[in-house]
Amino acid sequence: MSALHFDSPVERRAVEPVLAALTILLAAAIVNESRLLFESVLELIWIPATILVPGLLACSVLVGVLAHGLRLGSALFGPGDRIRPGDMAVTRILASVVLGALAAYTLWWVVASLFVHYLVAVGGVSPVIWPPLFGGVLGALVLGRVVFFRLFPEGPLARLSGSAVE
């Protein structure tokens, strides 16, 4: 097994918050219209970064959502030995659906931006602004999900019902 092989979800869970923070910073730079980014040497890496970072975040979120869906499917139609604590919580299922939809939409904008910016000679405004903006929203939700599920690993209702039983 090589060092770059992301087989376990631990590495993806460590990279995802970093990508989320970078995407939020990119979105903030676009909203602030920073001169440093648009009138310096960083201009050369600005467009690829605004496309690549939200795309990587969206791909990582989609991989996590698909893995969660496979674990749920395994629990419903198979032996259920792949299920983790908290996978059946309503909050985790809802988070997967919302984040999956937003990640797919962000990835769609990433692909559209790549297509328009690098493959088609089109005049007008480049759609490169949209991936960081939707990715910034996705990044904020990913960071919120990380904090929420650190506080409530098995869902908030499990903690409430556990304290009531004790």
Side-chain angles (χ1 to χ4, degrees):
M1 186 181 325
S2 69
L4 295 176
H5 186 63
F6 291 108
D7 198 21
S8 71
V10 174
E11 290 91 0
R12 188 183 53 77
R13 277 188 259 142
V15 170
E16 221 171 61
V18 173
L19 286 172
L22 284 174
T23 307
I24 290 170
L25 289 175
L26 284 172
I30 284 178
V31 169
N32 289 336
E33 297 178 358
S34 175
R35 282 189 172 177
L36 175 72
L37 295 173
F38 299 118
E39 298 175 359
S40 68
V41 178
L42 293 175
E43 182 180 13
L44 296 173
I45 63 169
W46 175 250
I47 290 178
T50 58
I51 296 172
L52 182 66
V53 174
L56 289 174
L57 176 64
C59 286
S60 176
V61 169
L62 283 176
V63 165
V65 167
L66 289 174
H68 183 241
L70 288 174
R71 286 193 309 268
L72 287 176
S74 169
L76 292 175
F77 301 116
D81 56 350
R82 293 184 180 153
I83 198 87
R84 293 186 192 157
D87 272 349
M88 299 294 269
V90 174
T91 53
R92 193 166 298 256
I93 294 170
L94 183 64
S96 287
V97 169
V98 169
L99 288 176
L102 187 58
Y105 191 64
T106 302
L107 194 60
W108 182 82
W109 274 107
V110 166
V111 170
S113 296
L114 284 172
F115 182 74
V116 167
H117 197 273
Y118 291 109
L119 296 177
V120 180
V122 178
V125 179
S126 175
V128 175
I129 191 172
W130 298 114
L133 292 179
F134 288 118
V137 173
L138 178 65
L141 290 175
V142 165
L143 290 178
R145 179 190 66 178
V146 167
V147 170
F148 183 79
F149 289 122
R150 296 279 170 127
L151 293 174
F152 307 107
E154 295 182 12
L157 297 177
R159 181 174 280 184
L160 290 174
S161 64
S163 65
V165 171
E166 293 173 0

